[in-house]
Amino acid sequence: MSNKMNSPLSGIIPPLVTPLLDNDVLDIEGLEKLIEHLIDGRVHALFVLGTTGEAQSLSYKLRVEMIKNTCRIVNGRLPVLVCISDTSIIESVNLARIAADNGADAVVSAPPYYFASGQPELAEFYEDLVPQLPLPLFLYNMPTHTKVNFAPATIRRIAEDFRVIGFKDSSANTVYFQSVMYAMKDRPDFAMFVGPEEITGEAVLLGAHGGINGGANMFPKLYVSLYNAARERNMEELLRLQKIVMQISSTIYTVGQHGSSYLKGLKTVLSLLGICNDFVASPFHRFEKPERDKVRKALENLDLNLVLK
Amino acid sequence: MSNKMNSPLSGIIPPLVTPLLDNDVLDIEGLEKLIEHLIDGRVHALFVLGTTGEAQSLSYKLRVEMIKNTCRIVNGRLPVLVCISDTSIIESVNLARIAADNGADAVVSAPPYYFASGQPELAEFYEDLVPQLPLPLFLYNMPTHTKVNFAPATIRRIAEDFRVIGFKDSSANTVYFQSVMYAMKDRPDFAMFVGPEEITGEAVLLGAHGGINGGANMFPKLYVSLYNAARERNMEELLRLQKIVMQISSTIYTVGQHGSSYLKGLKTVLSLLGICNDFVASPFHRFEKPERDKVRKALENLDLNLVLK
Amino acid sequence: MSNKMNSPLSGIIPPLVTPLLDNDVLDIEGLEKLIEHLIDGRVHALFVLGTTGEAQSLSYKLRVEMIKNTCRIVNGRLPVLVCISDTSIIESVNLARIAADNGADAVVSAPPYYFASGQPELAEFYEDLVPQLPLPLFLYNMPTHTKVNFAPATIRRIAEDFRVIGFKDSSANTVYFQSVMYAMKDRPDFAMFVGPEEITGEAVLLGAHGGINGGANMFPKLYVSLYNAARERNMEELLRLQKIVMQISSTIYTVGQHGSSYLKGLKTVLSLLGICNDFVASPFHRFEKPERDKVRKALENLDLNLVLK
Amino acid sequence: MSNKMNSPLSGIIPPLVTPLLDNDVLDIEGLEKLIEHLIDGRVHALFVLGTTGEAQSLSYKLRVEMIKNTCRIVNGRLPVLVCISDTSIIESVNLARIAADNGADAVVSAPPYYFASGQPELAEFYEDLVPQLPLPLFLYNMPTHTKVNFAPATIRRIAEDFRVIGFKDSSANTVYFQSVMYAMKDRPDFAMFVGPEEITGEAVLLGAHGGINGGANMFPKLYVSLYNAARERNMEELLRLQKIVMQISSTIYTVGQHGSSYLKGLKTVLSLLGICNDFVASPFHRFEKPERDKVRKALENLDLNLVLK
């Protein structure tokens, strides 16, 4: 475990998009620009191969390239978290070893997502997995994609192993998130993060450690400012920034018709900002011109001077 | 519309349990005690015949008795909101008329819950309903029970009729709630409430008007204090109270095995506090002794001196 | 219990649409024509106030009118089943009494549909309900609308009371249906029906007693012929008729965009055939002209001579 | 495309369990015994790496071993179908090439199962995939695991490419299956299979080509007899066999508490029959002794003489 993990992580951790030139070709130049953009934006760590990183749509070869290149480019300037979610425990362990070998600081795992597990099965899965991992682990709750929620008691049980150091919740259900916070109230070392940027402000106000927010790929300073406002309990500033966060959520992420709109909108903006290619891996495709124009319009309507100064 | 509705409602509005002696017999003495308990607790309004009120499990005769008795006992001391959710628009209008005739101040409606409606059908339903209502209307989002979420754009469309004065969201999804807040940002007169008490604090911090929280039946002062702390942005106090709210949620509401645990736990505590009977209407039944003992234990473990002084 | 129920019901039992002139006005002339059309079509019984009958969208006053008028018009020529599904056990019993008073032969009940019940709660609900009913009962499985499936063991438990005489399954899941058939294999007196007409043929081949099929409102002879072919194991005829059944299902029921397309398509055809009004109760509306034209086209494309001779 | 695929496949195609000694160790001896058992049982083809084969729980190395060993052992005696379902199109193509290189006859693919696709995205995914495949393709509908149903129109669109030769439906929804049958009625060359053995009889009676039934791992002759009875329209025999199929389904598959009961029960019986090891890959575990004893009891209660003579 790297020194960087000695106290709980906190702040804004962008779940990096995976810049692509084709289904199996990494946009390395785009990745370099993206990482420099995020470090300039003063984010607190980087998270690769998550849902926003389209990990499941990528070949293992490309996932490995993404780990290697990210660690090489970051070069110790920030903690790097690598998502190892897989349906096979063997492949999860393989990815964790590659992450460790390349200098990553922690791994992140959502439950196996083909079969739906019961709670005891979920706990047993992590009791099997954790001892095989060379890095500390964050649990990742993503019930729409994995068909199961970690029950608060299951998290407590898994986290009895102190190599399990935190939790990311992308359920958007803050009653559930509060229940996990309460179940873990005796463990101040256990880092609690939310996925959706729309609720990072309120989660941090109520005691969470930060947000793993996709929008931070585009506008890292906005989300870092939001986090800081919440940490400092500066409600005026937080509400001002929250409005911009909601404008992004209500426009850039809602251009298409399917669940993939968020990802396509995000990559389109990154392309419009000159950061990286907007190629989206199969089963999805990048937006066509009409949708791209709508995203451009939404981007122009954002008053970014308010946050990007 | 009563004068009480001239500005948006705000604060804690308990969704009253319906005290019962049997499936079709109102516990009138219990109702009287409950209402005095709530008025003593300085709640801001009362809401009857909601989900916590088991309205759907009650005969129409009993629903009418509940409206009449509540209005009689309250006698203008607080605004009274009456839930008219029904699968039949005719019966919803009937209930609204009875509410108005008895002096209620507003009505509340969740979508018809047998057939699942599409968004245009949902908008049309309310465009049919609202002109037939003698009182202003709150929309009520309860997707687990009605099989449909109000899309933010649907709420905007329905609320173009100014007789629609507010919204209660029981989805627990605060990304969604923030989306509705953003969609209605030009309508400061439109009252925004959350259902789950576990998130009232954060919702009010972010601009919501209050909570329609079941736990306020038991401990009105606790939730009113939580609301006040959020309004005053007193974060230390809010976090102190939030911990008690989560203790209640994690113990009293989780004794049984089914979704009905919340309701059964709530009525058991009201009975233990000497406020009203714990009879639960069919298809449910009150807790048996082992569960009742667990609830009693959970109640004893609460340090209510902290909030009930 | 009427003599008609001494042996298990079998055959085609149309779930009658409720002909309407407005949300709260029964189309009595349409109902008379519909019932004569169905008796002419040699159906085996009638089922009123089911899902196809839009019972939940109707006022209680109208539900009572529908029961009274149906029993009056039928006048003992066929068994009449009345659906008493409600969220309130009191109202279910009230409807059952009205059904009995008017000469109906049995009642049908789906689980309470606002709150989702656990299996023990479901069993207890029916153990409370059945002794209060003046008529024998069919259970009605409709999980998309009631949020719960009757577990096969729950059906066995409820059917230990011999006043529970049959089961209608509208889940469309024939693995489930076969499981119930197997669980009830020692009870040849227990009548097993499927809801979806698309699977009546195969269900009857495998031992079911018949279908409660919405399409029989339009073309009773088609579904009766399908049932007869299945009973006689005349596979050539069954496959010929199945193709027409699937043509109806794939065209007439799929014109609109929402779940209500089936109901709107059905009432449109009944109107085009001159049988009854196409008014659909709130929250839905009848089809507009473009959709009506598509339904008319679909109707013209049916080669009904093949079955209606 | 091998000669074996010149006419539509039909009959019983067992979805092979993957015999394991450990999470990443194939039980090769068990696989040999299993394949000989199935060939003795006169099944019509073999299907490897499906849901019953736990493919998603296995490493890629093990999936490749399973393909190689199966093709080696079968040695052309039966057609071999290989499931290539994956979240990454690149990995699906890789698996298909390995299948072709080892002499498999066709591949099978369920939609990517991490992200939920819209229908146009689903069609585009297969329009991307099919031209890259060296073998003909069966589509595989498994909505509980992939979060999406193939709309009948989507299947028609994808099957315009004649390299798409069939469809397996594991939805258990026979209304849906009939809709697909109807949508493909002009394509007698398109092979239609159901997954659940409980409905193979009725599906074949109504025109399906066969069943891809897990139970055939244990009792191939039973399911082949069931298929033959359905093909020959021998209803007496079919109903006799159906009862045994339902006894298996209602006992052996329902011993545990979670969705994994089917798989664990199946592997336990194979172990009790001396065919292969009962190791179940992570996230699941084999049954402990109490469950194993229940399965043994269920097995003893089957009167297999009736079918295994």
Side-chain angles (χ1 to χ4, degrees):
Chain A
M1 178 157 70
S2 104
N3 290 338
K4 297 191 195 79
M5 295 290 132
N6 281 344
S7 63
L9 262 187
S10 62
I12 296 298
I13 307 178
L16 268 71
V17 302
T18 302
L20 295 170
L21 298 176
D22 203 341
N23 271 323
D24 210 20
V25 184
L26 192 62
D27 171 12
I28 292 178
E29 190 187 328
L31 179 62
E32 286 170 347
K33 282 194 202 163
L34 176 62
I35 290 172
E36 297 307 327
H37 172 63
L38 297 176
I39 293 176
D40 281 356
R42 297 184 180 275
V43 301
H44 301 79
L46 301 181
F47 170 61
V48 299
L49 297 179
T51 304
T52 300
E54 298 171 82
Q56 278 62 41
S57 304
L58 306 177
S59 73
Y60 282 82
K61 179 180 77 65
L62 199 71
R63 291 187 219 180
V64 172
E65 282 179 44
M66 182 64 185
I67 295 170
K68 287 191 172 167
N69 280 282
T70 300
C71 289
R72 173 185 59 78
I73 298 164
V74 172
N75 195 21
R77 291 179 287 173
L78 281 181
V80 173
L81 283 63
V82 174
C83 194
I84 60 170
S85 300
D86 205 278
T87 55
S88 158
I89 195 168
I90 302 287
E91 300 294 354
S92 282
V93 173
N94 287 345
L95 285 168
R97 287 183 186 152
I98 291 163
D101 289 349
N102 283 277
D105 299 277
V107 291
V108 181
S109 163
Y113 38 84
Y114 187 73
F115 293 111
S117 304
Q119 292 297 320
E121 293 170 337
L122 201 51
E124 288 163 19
F125 174 77
Y126 283 102
E127 288 166 355
D128 284 356
L129 178 67
V130 173
Q132 301 183 59
L133 297 178
L135 289 174
L137 176 71
F138 284 79
L139 300 176
Y140 178 7
N141 193 50
M142 187 63 174
T144 51
H145 291 59
T146 66
K147 307 156 192 157
V148 62
N149 257 302
F150 286 94
T154 301
I155 297 173
R156 272 189 75 90
R157 174 174 163 187
I158 297 172
E160 281 170 19
D161 187 321
F162 282 88
R163 290 169 289 192
V164 182
I165 62 172
F167 181 62
K168 173 192 179 184
D169 178 30
S170 289
S171 73
N173 183 322
T174 44
V175 173
Y176 167 79
F177 188 72
Q178 286 296 315
S179 301
V180 178
M181 294 269 283
Y182 184 74
M184 300 303 290
K185 64 183 183 303
D186 304 329
R187 286 283 304 276
D189 60 306
F190 191 78
M192 295 285 302
F193 285 84
V194 289
E197 58 213 54
E198 296 87 348
I199 59 175
T200 292
E202 64 196 271
V204 171
L205 281 171
L206 273 277
H209 293 79
I212 300 185
N213 304 147
N217 281 282
M218 303 180 286
F219 311 119
K221 288 177 187 166
L222 169 60
Y223 299 89
V224 170
S225 300
L226 181 83
Y227 167 75
N228 288 333
R231 276 296 298 270
E232 296 158 8
R233 299 177 178 174
N234 181 342
M235 288 301 306
E236 292 307 324
E237 177 70 356
L238 187 150
L239 290 171
R240 189 180 71 80
L241 297 169
Q242 176 73 8
K243 202 173 267 184
I244 304 170
V245 167
M246 292 312 305
Q247 185 180 350
I248 291 166
S249 172
S250 301
T251 57
I252 289 170
Y253 297 164
T254 59
V255 164
Q257 291 183 293
H258 306 293
S260 52
S261 297
Y262 154 74
L263 182 62
K264 293 173 182 174
L266 185 56
K267 281 200 150 176
T268 302
V269 168
L270 288 170
S271 154
L272 291 168
L273 295 176
I275 293 173
C276 69
N277 200 295
D278 65 343
F279 188 92
V280 180
S282 185
F284 303 138
H285 290 90
R286 72 180 93 198
F287 275 143
E288 305 281 346
K289 186 160 188 317
E291 287 80 21
R292 186 174 173 91
D293 286 347
K294 278 187 204 165
V295 174
R296 186 197 310 272
K297 190 100 200 272
L299 180 61
E300 288 166 359
N301 285 339
L302 282 176
D303 189 352
L304 292 172
N305 292 325
L306 290 173
V307 291
L308 300 187
K309 51 195 169 187
Chain B
M1 179 158 71
S2 103
N3 290 339
K4 297 191 195 80
M5 295 289 134
N6 281 345
S7 63
L9 262 186
S10 62
I12 296 298
I13 307 178
L16 270 69
V17 301
T18 302
L20 294 170
L21 299 177
D22 202 341
N23 271 324
D24 210 20
V25 184
L26 192 61
D27 170 11
I28 292 179
E29 191 187 327
L31 180 61
E32 286 170 347
K33 281 193 203 163
L34 176 62
I35 290 173
E36 297 307 327
H37 172 64
L38 298 175
I39 292 176
D40 281 355
R42 298 187 179 274
V43 303
H44 301 80
L46 302 181
F47 170 61
V48 298
L49 296 179
T51 303
T52 299
E54 300 172 79
Q56 278 61 42
S57 303
L58 307 177
S59 72
Y60 282 83
K61 179 180 77 65
L62 199 72
R63 292 188 217 179
V64 171
E65 281 179 46
M66 181 66 184
I67 296 169
K68 287 192 172 167
N69 280 283
T70 300
C71 290
R72 173 184 60 76
I73 299 164
V74 172
N75 195 22
R77 291 180 286 172
L78 281 180
V80 173
L81 283 64
V82 174
C83 194
I84 60 170
S85 300
D86 204 279
T87 55
S88 158
I89 196 168
I90 302 287
E91 300 295 354
S92 281
V93 173
N94 286 346
L95 284 168
R97 287 183 186 151
I98 291 163
D101 290 349
N102 283 278
D105 298 277
V107 291
V108 181
S109 163
Y113 39 82
Y114 187 73
F115 293 113
S117 304
Q119 292 297 320
E121 292 169 337
L122 201 51
E124 287 163 20
F125 173 78
Y126 283 101
E127 287 166 356
D128 284 357
L129 177 67
V130 173
Q132 301 183 59
L133 298 177
L135 290 173
L137 176 70
F138 284 77
L139 300 175
Y140 178 7
N141 193 50
M142 187 63 173
T144 50
H145 291 58
T146 66
K147 306 155 193 158
V148 62
N149 257 302
F150 286 94
T154 300
I155 296 173
R156 274 189 73 89
R157 175 174 162 188
I158 296 171
E160 281 170 18
D161 187 320
F162 282 88
R163 290 170 289 193
V164 181
I165 62 171
F167 180 63
K168 173 191 178 182
D169 178 31
S170 289
S171 73
N173 183 322
T174 45
V175 173
Y176 168 79
F177 188 72
Q178 286 295 314
S179 300
V180 177
M181 293 269 283
Y182 184 74
M184 299 304 291
K185 65 184 182 301
D186 304 328
R187 288 284 303 276
D189 60 308
F190 191 78
M192 294 286 300
F193 285 84
V194 289
E197 58 214 54
E198 296 87 348
I199 59 175
T200 293
E202 63 195 271
V204 171
L205 282 171
L206 272 278
H209 293 78
I212 301 184
N213 304 148
N217 281 281
M218 303 179 286
F219 312 118
K221 289 178 187 163
L222 169 61
Y223 298 89
V224 170
S225 299
L226 181 83
Y227 167 75
N228 287 334
R231 276 296 298 271
E232 295 158 9
R233 299 176 178 174
N234 181 342
M235 287 302 305
E236 293 306 325
E237 177 71 355
L238 187 149
L239 290 171
R240 190 180 70 81
L241 298 170
Q242 176 73 9
K243 201 172 267 185
I244 304 171
V245 166
M246 292 313 303
Q247 185 181 351
I248 291 166
S249 172
S250 302
T251 57
I252 290 171
Y253 298 165
T254 60
V255 164
Q257 290 184 292
H258 306 292
S260 53
S261 297
Y262 153 75
L263 182 62
K264 292 173 183 174
L266 186 55
K267 281 199 151 177
T268 301
V269 168
L270 289 170
S271 154
L272 291 168
L273 296 177
I275 293 173
C276 68
N277 200 296
D278 65 343
F279 188 93
V280 180
S282 184
F284 303 137
H285 289 89
R286 71 179 94 197
F287 275 142
E288 304 282 347
K289 186 159 187 319
E291 287 81 20
R292 186 174 173 92
D293 286 346
K294 278 188 205 165
V295 173
R296 186 196 311 271
K297 189 101 201 271
L299 181 60
E300 288 165 0
N301 285 339
L302 281 176
D303 188 353
L304 292 172
N305 292 324
L306 290 173
V307 291
L308 299 187
K309 51 195 169 187
Chain C
M1 178 157 71
S2 104
N3 291 339
K4 297 191 195 79
M5 294 290 133
N6 281 345
S7 63
L9 261 186
S10 63
I12 296 298
I13 307 179
L16 268 71
V17 302
T18 301
L20 295 170
L21 298 175
D22 203 340
N23 270 324
D24 209 21
V25 183
L26 192 61
D27 171 12
I28 293 178
E29 191 186 327
L31 180 61
E32 286 169 347
K33 281 193 202 163
L34 176 63
I35 290 173
E36 298 307 327
H37 172 63
L38 297 175
I39 293 176
D40 281 356
R42 298 186 181 273
V43 301
H44 301 79
L46 301 182
F47 170 61
V48 298
L49 296 179
T51 303
T52 300
E54 299 171 82
Q56 278 63 40
S57 304
L58 307 177
S59 72
Y60 283 80
K61 180 180 77 66
L62 199 72
R63 292 188 217 179
V64 172
E65 282 180 44
M66 182 65 184
I67 295 169
K68 287 191 171 166
N69 280 283
T70 300
C71 290
R72 174 185 59 76
I73 298 164
V74 172
N75 195 20
R77 291 179 286 172
L78 280 181
V80 173
L81 283 62
V82 174
C83 193
I84 60 170
S85 301
D86 204 278
T87 55
S88 158
I89 195 168
I90 303 287
E91 300 294 354
S92 281
V93 173
N94 286 345
L95 285 168
R97 288 184 185 149
I98 292 164
D101 290 348
N102 283 278
D105 299 276
V107 292
V108 181
S109 163
Y113 38 83
Y114 187 73
F115 293 111
S117 304
Q119 293 297 320
E121 292 169 336
L122 201 52
E124 287 162 20
F125 174 78
Y126 283 101
E127 287 166 356
D128 283 356
L129 178 67
V130 173
Q132 301 183 58
L133 298 178
L135 290 174
L137 176 71
F138 284 79
L139 301 175
Y140 178 6
N141 193 50
M142 188 63 173
T144 52
H145 291 59
T146 67
K147 307 156 192 159
V148 62
N149 257 303
F150 286 94
T154 301
I155 297 174
R156 272 190 75 89
R157 175 175 162 186
I158 297 172
E160 281 171 18
D161 186 321
F162 282 88
R163 291 169 288 193
V164 181
I165 62 172
F167 180 64
K168 172 192 180 183
D169 178 30
S170 289
S171 72
N173 183 322
T174 44
V175 173
Y176 168 78
F177 188 72
Q178 286 295 314
S179 300
V180 177
M181 294 269 283
Y182 184 74
M184 300 303 291
K185 64 184 183 302
D186 304 328
R187 287 283 303 275
D189 59 307
F190 191 78
M192 295 285 301
F193 285 83
V194 289
E197 58 212 54
E198 297 87 347
I199 59 175
T200 293
E202 64 196 90
V204 171
L205 282 171
L206 272 278
H209 293 80
I212 301 185
N213 304 147
N217 281 281
M218 303 179 287
F219 312 118
K221 289 177 185 164
L222 169 61
Y223 298 89
V224 170
S225 300
L226 181 84
Y227 167 76
N228 288 334
R231 275 297 298 271
E232 296 158 8
R233 299 177 178 174
N234 180 342
M235 287 302 305
E236 291 306 324
E237 177 70 354
L238 187 150
L239 289 171
R240 190 180 71 79
L241 297 170
Q242 177 73 9
K243 202 173 266 184
I244 303 171
V245 166
M246 292 312 304
Q247 185 180 352
I248 292 166
S249 172
S250 302
T251 58
I252 289 170
Y253 298 164
T254 60
V255 165
Q257 290 183 291
H258 306 293
S260 53
S261 297
Y262 153 75
L263 183 62
K264 293 173 183 175
L266 185 56
K267 281 199 151 178
T268 302
V269 168
L270 288 170
S271 154
L272 291 167
L273 295 177
I275 293 172
C276 69
N277 200 296
D278 64 344
F279 188 92
V280 180
S282 185
F284 302 138
H285 289 91
R286 70 179 95 198
F287 276 142
E288 304 281 346
K289 187 160 186 316
E291 287 80 20
R292 187 175 173 91
D293 286 347
K294 279 188 204 164
V295 174
R296 187 197 309 273
K297 190 100 202 272
L299 180 60
E300 288 165 1
N301 285 341
L302 282 176
D303 189 353
L304 292 172
N305 292 326
L306 290 173
V307 290
L308 301 186
K309 53 195 169 184
Chain D
M1 179 158 72
S2 104
N3 289 339
K4 298 192 195 79
M5 295 289 134
N6 280 345
S7 63
L9 262 187
S10 62
I12 297 299
I13 307 178
L16 269 70
V17 302
T18 302
L20 294 170
L21 298 177
D22 202 340
N23 271 324
D24 210 19
V25 183
L26 193 60
D27 170 11
I28 292 179
E29 191 186 328
L31 180 60
E32 286 169 348
K33 282 194 203 162
L34 176 62
I35 290 173
E36 297 308 326
H37 172 63
L38 298 175
I39 292 177
D40 281 356
R42 297 187 180 274
V43 303
H44 301 80
L46 301 182
F47 170 60
V48 298
L49 297 179
T51 303
T52 299
E54 301 171 80
Q56 278 62 41
S57 304
L58 307 177
S59 72
Y60 281 82
K61 179 181 76 66
L62 198 72
R63 292 189 218 179
V64 171
E65 281 179 45
M66 182 66 184
I67 295 169
K68 287 191 171 166
N69 281 283
T70 301
C71 290
R72 174 184 60 76
I73 299 164
V74 172
N75 196 20
R77 290 179 287 173
L78 280 181
V80 174
L81 283 64
V82 174
C83 193
I84 60 170
S85 300
D86 204 280
T87 55
S88 158
I89 196 168
I90 302 287
E91 300 295 353
S92 281
V93 173
N94 287 346
L95 284 168
R97 287 183 186 151
I98 291 163
D101 290 349
N102 283 278
D105 298 277
V107 292
V108 181
S109 163
Y113 39 83
Y114 187 73
F115 293 112
S117 304
Q119 292 297 320
E121 292 169 337
L122 201 52
E124 288 163 20
F125 173 77
Y126 283 101
E127 288 166 355
D128 284 355
L129 178 67
V130 173
Q132 301 183 58
L133 297 178
L135 290 173
L137 176 71
F138 284 78
L139 301 175
Y140 178 7
N141 194 50
M142 188 63 173
T144 51
H145 291 57
T146 66
K147 307 156 191 159
V148 62
N149 257 302
F150 287 94
T154 300
I155 297 173
R156 274 190 73 90
R157 175 174 161 187
I158 297 171
E160 280 170 19
D161 187 320
F162 281 88
R163 290 170 289 193
V164 182
I165 62 171
F167 179 64
K168 173 191 178 183
D169 178 31
S170 289
S171 73
N173 183 322
T174 44
V175 173
Y176 168 79
F177 188 72
Q178 286 294 315
S179 300
V180 177
M181 293 269 283
Y182 184 74
M184 300 303 292
K185 64 185 184 300
D186 304 328
R187 287 284 303 277
D189 59 308
F190 191 79
M192 294 287 300
F193 285 84
V194 289
E197 58 213 52
E198 296 87 348
I199 59 175
T200 292
E202 63 196 90
V204 171
L205 282 171
L206 272 279
H209 293 79
I212 301 184
N213 303 148
N217 281 282
M218 303 180 286
F219 312 118
K221 289 178 186 164
L222 169 61
Y223 298 89
V224 170
S225 300
L226 181 83
Y227 167 76
N228 287 334
R231 276 296 299 271
E232 296 158 8
R233 298 175 179 175
N234 181 341
M235 288 302 304
E236 292 307 325
E237 176 71 354
L238 186 150
L239 290 171
R240 189 180 70 80
L241 298 169
Q242 175 73 10
K243 201 172 268 184
I244 304 171
V245 166
M246 292 313 303
Q247 185 180 351
I248 292 165
S249 172
S250 302
T251 58
I252 289 170
Y253 298 165
T254 60
V255 165
Q257 289 184 292
H258 306 292
S260 52
S261 298
Y262 153 74
L263 182 62
K264 292 173 183 174
L266 186 55
K267 281 200 151 176
T268 302
V269 168
L270 289 170
S271 153
L272 291 168
L273 295 177
I275 293 174
C276 68
N277 200 295
D278 65 344
F279 188 92
V280 180
S282 184
F284 302 138
H285 290 90
R286 70 179 94 197
F287 275 142
E288 304 282 347
K289 184 157 189 319
E291 287 80 20
R292 187 174 173 93
D293 286 346
K294 279 189 205 164
V295 174
R296 187 197 311 272
K297 189 103 201 269
L299 181 60
E300 287 165 0
N301 285 339
L302 281 175
D303 189 353
L304 292 171
N305 292 326
L306 290 173
V307 291
L308 299 187
K309 53 196 168 185

